[in-house]
Amino acid sequence: SDCPAEDPMDPLLCNSFAPRTKVTMKDYAKRNIEDIKEGEFVLGYDIETQTLLPSEVILTYSHPANGYYLINERLKVTATNPLFVNGEWTLPGSINIGDSILTEDIELEKINSIEYINDIGEVYALHVLPAETYFAEGMLVHNKAPKDIKVESL
């Protein structure tokens, strides 16, 4: 479906990834984000218990965007999508070279490149439960916009 926001172009309400972003499924298979369907299970991660947690895709949506951040030459993420960097949820624009992002192997990957790409096109997102997190290009990402994240979980 479309982005579940009153104004689909409002970047604070829609956070997403470029087409062909590889999402880790619960069996560790990799699937393009645009091909994942509601009812399928992705590999999530519970920050509080620090455990991997298979999570069901409750909603998939897409919307147009006018650009994205390219991180470590592989993750293409819109500006409002939080990533788990240096042990906390961080927006792409606040990430610095040398920061570390949590990977699906529960290891820290150094950020060695980040750039903003102006590229208008359709982007995709998932809402998953119970973890509300998943791995995109092997990196831990949140499935909600910043305004939806409760402060307790930061």
Side-chain angles (χ1 to χ4, degrees), residues 31-67:
R31 297 266 303 283
N32 289 343
I33 192 166
E34 68 270 24
D35 296 335
I36 295 172
K37 306 281 188 274
E38 292 165 17
E40 294 187 295
F41 283 80
V42 299
L43 188 66
Y45 185 75
D46 185 317
I47 300 300
E48 291 181 14
T49 62
Q50 299 184 359
T51 53
L52 294 167
L53 184 65
S55 291
E56 185 176 3
V57 177
I58 303 301
L59 179 69
T60 66
Y61 53 95
S62 64
H63 65 98
N66 54 15

Side-chain angles (χ1 to χ4, degrees), residues 55-144:
S55 291
E56 185 176 3
V57 177
I58 303 301
L59 179 69
T60 66
Y61 53 95
S62 64
H63 65 98
N66 54 15
Y68 56 83
Y69 284 90
L70 176 62
I71 299 174
N72 282 4
E73 303 296 326
R74 69 178 197 276
L75 181 64
K76 299 175 179 177
V77 55
T78 55
T80 54
N81 203 118
L83 310 174
F84 201 64
V85 174
N86 297 341
E88 60 186 10
W89 293 111
T90 307
L91 294 178
S94 299
I95 295 173
N96 297 302
I97 302 294
D99 286 351
S100 298
I101 189 164
L102 192 71
T103 69
E104 65 189 20
D105 301 317
I106 317 304
E107 294 180 350
L108 295 176
E109 177 180 339
K110 282 269 190 261
I111 305 295
N112 52 42
S113 67
I114 181 165
E115 61 180 311
Y116 189 78
I117 310 288
N118 287 299
D119 182 18
I120 296 173
E122 199 75 2
V123 292
Y124 299 84
L126 308 174
H127 181 59
V128 307
L129 290 174
E132 299 197 71
T133 62
Y134 55 98
F135 293 93
E137 298 294 346
M139 302 177 188
L140 185 60
V141 304
H142 203 286
N143 75 176
K144 286 187 169 185

